[in-house]
Amino acid sequence: MAEPIVRIQGLKSWYGKGRERKQVLRGVTLDLAPGEVLGVVGESGSGKSTLAKCVLGMVTDIEGTLHVDSQRPQMVFQDPYGSLNPAKTVGWILEEPLRAIGVRDRAQRRRRAAELLSMVGLEEEHLGRRPAQLSGGQRQRVAIAAALMQGSKLIVLDEPVSALDVTLQAQILRLLAQLKEQLGLSYLFISHDLTVVYQLCDRVAVMTGGEIVEQGDVDEIYDRPKHPYTKKLLEASLALD
Amino acid sequence: MRRKNWYLIVGAVLTASMLAFTAVGFFWTPYEPSAMSAADKYAKPCAAHLFGCDQLGRDILSRTLEGAGATLAIALAVLAVGALAGLAVGALCGYHGGAADALVMRLCDAVAAFPSVLLALVVLAVTGPGKYNVIAALGVLFVPSFARLVRGEFLKYRDRDFVRSAKLIGVSDLRIIFVHILPNIWPVLLSGLTIGFNNAVLAEASMSYLGIGVSATEPSLGYLLKDAQGYLFTAPWYTAFPAAAIVLLILGVSLLGEGVRERMGVGT
Ligand SMILES: Nc1ncnc2c1ncn2[C@@H]1O[C@H](COP(=O)(O)OP(=O)(O)OP(=O)(O)O)[C@@H](O)[C@H]1O
Ligand SMILES: [Mg+2]
């Protein structure tokens, strides 16, 4: 197997300082191979987003091994209303990652923005729009395009389709799968929805109370869950369907 | 269809008229504002002196034109000092938070606990009157309210996902503050500026009226009011025209601010 793009061993993390200091991750170990999609599932508060933030370097109070072998990993957030600057146009939002890495040539930035916009299934006319003038699904497409502008190979997706209705979810998941193939991306895909994870992920890690209790290939885990917590999650999700 | 925004229309017309009136005064006044004329003492408004004359026979239209210019210049300078410093302080405090923020905000609370005119009185009692001292004193005293306004907005925005995204792509803090967040708080800032402008006009007028503001060589509208009060019955027009200029200016800017708020949907 190739060198993993993310290698995490015994990762612990804390929020707060002094007396308020509270541990969230309690020894997480996982690898993410290049080109792989790893799902992280677990109940609310189990530490999924915290794990994501650690990978992106947004949590600094950590212990253990955290090795990320990718230039500027990017993130796609759950709520596309909040992740796009309401005061800016789509074009500006897409160009900003290029400005940040020093691409001075405006025409080049525009070209690249238009290119990625079409890759996520939007038209060039959308460049002049503001986020408020787009639908929820279109906004999430813009957010995905923005995350890809710097050419990052590792994308962390924190509940990227949870705010969308089921048909839109399917479209966005298909888009993500397609972009992954096209650009050779790796995803750390966080979700509480096991059905969604099943559609997109190669492997899945089950998290509860800041620990990963079970991980493995999606088929393996879904067919023969070993840990009681995984069984409980699967039963709950089947009961919903 | 959008409802007609009367606040905005009336406010803009009124403000523009007052600005035009003031602008005229910068280039031209019918008479030398300080020129006295014994023959015209207490002259009623007439064709030669549209606004009449004062106790020394000075043309009140000329004096009002000049005074409006002084008042506007002082108010704008106060606003510039207060708003720029307030913006810097509020943005940094709101964006970074932490102990420095807590300290600066306590300081602002302390300053804001006193009426600003009263504090300015104290400052000017020490520094002495004059245009620049007024500007400095009022400007500094205006910082806390702007700082608090701006800080509140930055606090609201600093944990938004689009700010996190900006950090992830490597945008610097200063650029996040001024390029990413600031445009989102323009409407709030703009309405704060109109309120601040009016407060500055009133504060300057009060101080000059109390005799600790500008000196006789640079009479503002507030100074004219003070000068006129002894002749309220012999020459009521001396009080009436400068007072009307202040009222119209403040009214115009208030309506404009209200119109902007309504237009941008601030506070809804
Ligand atoms: N910035 C923070 N400061 C302090 N505590 C935090 C912070 N962010 C999260 N926590 C706490 O850490 C724990 C894990 O939160 P986290 O957001 O990682 O959960 P999650 O698994 O993503 O949940 P959800 O499915 O609801 O998004 C929770 O108890 C939460 O209250
Ligand atoms: Mg979460």
Side-chain angles (χ1 to χ4, degrees), chain B residues 3-29:
Chain B
R3 201 163 54 84
K4 261 220 165 83
N5 189 334
W6 283 111
Y7 285 130
L8 197 63
I9 297 168
V10 176
V13 169
L14 210 50
T15 307
S17 319
M18 287 314 292
L19 288 181
F21 179 79
T22 311
V24 167
F26 276 117
F27 302 108
W28 174 83
T29 51

Side-chain angles (χ1 to χ4, degrees), chain A:
Chain A
M1 201 173 104
E3 270 296 295
I5 191 163
V6 178
R7 157 163 286 166
I8 296 174
Q9 271 162 357
L11 184 69
K12 298 172 182 167
S13 89
W14 290 264
Y15 284 120
K17 277 187 221 123
R19 279 162 150 231
E20 308 268 280
R21 193 164 181 255
K22 197 182 100 203
Q23 186 168 9
V24 174
L25 297 187
R26 304 177 175 279
V28 169
T29 297
L30 60 79
D31 281 350
L32 175 61
E36 188 180 46
V37 182
L38 173 64
V40 178
V41 297
E43 88 275 0
S44 183
S46 56
K48 306 183 296 292
S49 297
T50 304
L51 177 61
K53 286 193 220 161
C54 288
V55 169
L56 295 165
M58 294 159 84
V59 177
T60 43
D61 192 358
I62 55 172
E63 244 174 49
T65 309
L66 169 63
H67 185 73
V68 178
D69 188 20
S70 166
Q71 291 279 315
R72 289 232 171 94
Q74 291 300 312
M75 176 143 175
V76 175
F77 295 87
Q78 170 173 1
D79 176 18
Y81 288 81
S83 62
L84 302 177
N85 193 334
K88 304 293 182 181
T89 62
V90 169
W92 189 93
I93 291 170
L94 292 181
E95 283 182 53
E96 186 66 356
L98 295 181
R99 274 185 223 107
I101 53 173
V103 180
R104 300 241 173 279
D105 182 357
R106 181 153 191 278
Q108 190 189 339
R109 291 199 307 256
R110 278 271 132 164
R111 220 170 27 245
R112 184 94 180 102
E115 198 181 316
L116 264 160
L117 206 58
S118 84
M119 282 179 81
V120 298
L122 294 176
E123 321 277 315
E124 211 162 325
E125 53 156 318
H126 292 113
L127 282 174
R129 303 251 192 109
R130 280 172 205 279
Q133 298 167 312
L134 300 174
S135 71
Q138 289 174 330
R139 281 194 195 108
Q140 201 56 304
R141 287 170 192 269
V142 172
I144 292 168
L148 297 174
M149 285 304 290
Q150 290 183 339
S152 313
K153 291 293 176 205
L154 172 62
I155 309 292
V156 175
L157 303 122
D158 192 353
E159 311 259 12
V161 296
S162 306
L164 307 174
D165 69 45
V166 181
T167 26
L168 276 176
Q169 281 193 357
Q171 286 178 19
I172 298 289
L173 289 173
R174 231 176 295 131
L175 172 68
L176 287 171
Q178 184 192 326
L179 288 170
K180 190 203 95 165
E181 291 307 324
Q182 224 170 329
L183 302 169
L185 307 172
S186 311
Y187 294 150
L188 185 64
F189 186 92
I190 289 161
S191 180
H192 62 268
D193 187 339
L194 290 157
T195 343
V196 165
V197 168
Y198 189 77
Q199 287 177 60
L200 187 70
C201 299
D202 307 313
R203 284 195 311 128
V204 59
V206 182
M207 218 173 157
T208 181
E211 280 173 306
I212 289 179
V213 291
E214 186 168 4
Q215 60 178 312
D217 290 344
V218 168
D219 290 328
E220 175 93 20
I221 302 268
Y222 279 58
D223 291 343
R224 291 180 294 279
K226 294 197 191 70
H227 197 276
Y229 179 72
T230 316
K231 287 179 187 159
K232 213 179 80 194
L233 265 188
L234 279 167
E235 274 160 25
S237 120
L238 285 178
L240 276 179
D241 289 346

Side-chain angles (χ1 to χ4, degrees), chain B residues 8-95:
Chain B
L8 197 63
I9 297 168
V10 176
V13 169
L14 210 50
T15 307
S17 319
M18 287 314 292
L19 288 181
F21 179 79
T22 311
V24 167
F26 276 117
F27 302 108
W28 174 83
T29 51
Y31 299 86
E32 175 59 35
S34 55
M36 303 174 211
S37 147
D40 293 323
K41 273 186 189 175
Y42 305 115
K44 285 201 180 73
C46 59
H49 300 285
L50 284 178
F51 287 9
C53 290
D54 68 3
Q55 75 281 11
L56 300 173
R58 292 173 294 194
D59 180 54
I60 291 172
L61 173 56
S62 303
R63 285 177 68 69
T64 305
L65 281 167
E66 190 191 34
T71 292
L72 188 72
I74 292 173
L76 288 179
V78 167
L79 207 59
V81 172
L84 285 180
L87 178 64
V89 171
L92 291 175
C93 284
Y95 184 71

